[in-house]
Amino acid sequence: YKGKLEKYSRTLLYTKTGAIFLFDEVKSKSPEGHVYDWLFHAPANEENQTSISYADGRVMINRPKARLTMDIISPDIVSSKIYDKGVGKIFYESFLSLSSKPDLNEANFLAVILPEAKPGSGDYGAAPKTTRLDAPGWIGAKMDHNLGSDIGFFRVGTENGVAGGFTTDAKRFTASFDKSGVLQKIYFEGGSISEKGLSISADQSVRGTMAIDPSGYDAEIKSAKGCNLKVLVSGKPSSVQVSGQVVNDWTYDEGSKTLTVKLPGGTIPLKIIK
């Protein structure tokens, strides 16, 4: 970038079996405005034809046994160009260049990506639908697809509050829902996250994932030096497992319906069985 950038940061958040959220934060060193370009590439298909296309904020890559949909949420794309690399009429690779409007000092690039394997029989299901979600201090998006829906939020301000129905101090988080809208799993980077029926908090910032099913909670918590973790549980658990081992040094408060457990440092699997 020839020393022109003050900041460039890329984050990828993957929801297992669902969407991938791609978030770039880019800021120029100089006060003058710029055009920001993003370049994506894909191999040619079996007929040596362009496999990538773009229209109305949606990028499509079509391969013989798979497809990838990428919806651009931010910034506004004002121009696009597809070109191919190869010899003669044989393409090795297709490239897509997307450009922002001019006179920007900084830009946040948010896209939602869904890779899909082609079914063994029949064709793909309905195309995914992506919606932009905004909240004070946050930028986010929701993708509805054949297996359910995923939301992803990235903090762009200093406000703590509600984003997508979740109250959190996290830098970023995702949540996945089944087709009926029931929460299935979350990922967050922060000290706490909660919504109706769910509450997780730690005495320091952590990286946490939690899958929810009728039998309980299956989580993984990463902290630097260990943490005290509190989890809302509707009734006293029958068992708590840390790193695959049943432990007894936990407490449960009936009044607040809160489980408290101390976890060591590192990436620790935690299982709470109702």
Side-chain angles (χ1 to χ4, degrees):
Y1 305 105
K2 298 180 180 180
K4 294 181 178 180
L5 293 183
E6 176 183 316
K7 177 182 181 181
Y8 172 72
S9 174
R10 167 163 288 181
T11 302
L12 286 164
L13 296 184
Y14 169 59
T15 61
K16 189 176 181 180
T17 72
I20 301 168
F21 294 88
L22 186 158
F23 185 60
D24 288 346
E25 296 174 278
V26 191
K27 185 175 182 180
S28 170
K29 283 185 176 181
S30 62
E32 297 87 15
H34 303 276
V35 171
Y36 291 89
D37 299 317
W38 283 266
L39 184 68
F40 301 93
H41 60 95
N45 63 24
E46 288 185 340
E47 291 77 28
N48 291 318
Q49 296 174 340
T50 300
S51 63
I52 192 168
S53 62
Y54 174 78
D56 301 323
R58 170 161 285 188
V59 179
M60 291 294 303
I61 298 176
N62 285 291
R63 305 287 294 140
K65 296 182 180 180
R67 74 177 182 186
L68 182 144
T69 305
M70 181 169 70
D71 289 326
I72 312 299
I73 305 302
S74 174
D76 293 332
I77 301 299
V78 298
S79 65
S80 63
K81 181 181 179 181
I82 294 175
Y83 53 98
D84 303 293
K85 180 180 180 182
V87 178
K89 295 183 179 180
I90 299 177
F91 300 150
Y92 299 147
E93 228 170 355
S94 300
F95 294 85
L96 168 65
S97 176
L98 302 176
S99 299
S100 74
K101 63 184 181 182
D103 301 321
L104 295 179
N105 178 255
E106 57 186 301
N108 291 323
F109 182 90
L110 175 60
V112 189
I113 304 167
L114 185 69
E116 299 172 274
K118 189 171 185 178
S121 60
D123 206 346
Y124 298 102
K129 178 182 178 182
T130 304
T131 308
R132 177 169 174 151
L133 302 176
D134 286 298
W138 296 87
I139 183 172
K142 176 183 180 183
M143 176 179 275
D144 293 283
H145 49 79
N146 292 320
L147 297 178
S149 63
D150 303 295
I151 65 171
F153 276 92
F154 299 84
R155 186 181 292 278
V156 292
T158 58
E159 299 91 339
N160 280 332
V162 179
F166 291 82
T167 301
T168 182
D169 65 352
K171 295 179 181 177
R172 53 188 73 97
F173 72 92
T174 65
S176 300
F177 306 83
D178 66 15
K179 287 186 175 181
S180 61
V182 176
L183 180 64
Q184 300 292 294
K185 55 183 179 285
I186 61 167
Y187 169 82
F188 70 101
E189 296 179 19
S192 65
I193 188 167
S194 63
E195 62 104 53
K196 55 183 179 181
L198 170 76
S199 179
I200 307 170
S201 63
D203 56 2
Q204 62 179 276
S205 183
V206 301
R207 292 186 178 186
T209 61
M210 178 171 282
I212 304 149
D213 63 42
S215 67
Y217 304 97
D218 198 348
E220 190 173 84
I221 306 296
K222 182 178 182 179
S223 63
K225 298 180 180 180
C227 66
N228 289 309
L229 192 75
K230 296 180 181 292
V231 182
L232 181 67
V233 183
S234 58
K236 186 175 182 179
S238 63
S239 176
V240 176
Q241 298 177 14
V242 175
S243 298
Q245 301 295 317
V246 175
V247 297
N248 297 314
D249 55 343
W250 53 270
T251 60
Y252 181 75
D253 182 82
E254 292 283 357
S256 63
K257 298 188 181 302
T258 301
L259 166 78
T260 302
V261 59
K262 184 172 179 59
L263 301 178
T267 301
I268 305 301
L270 170 67
K271 196 163 189 175
I272 303 168
I273 302 172
K274 293 181 178 179

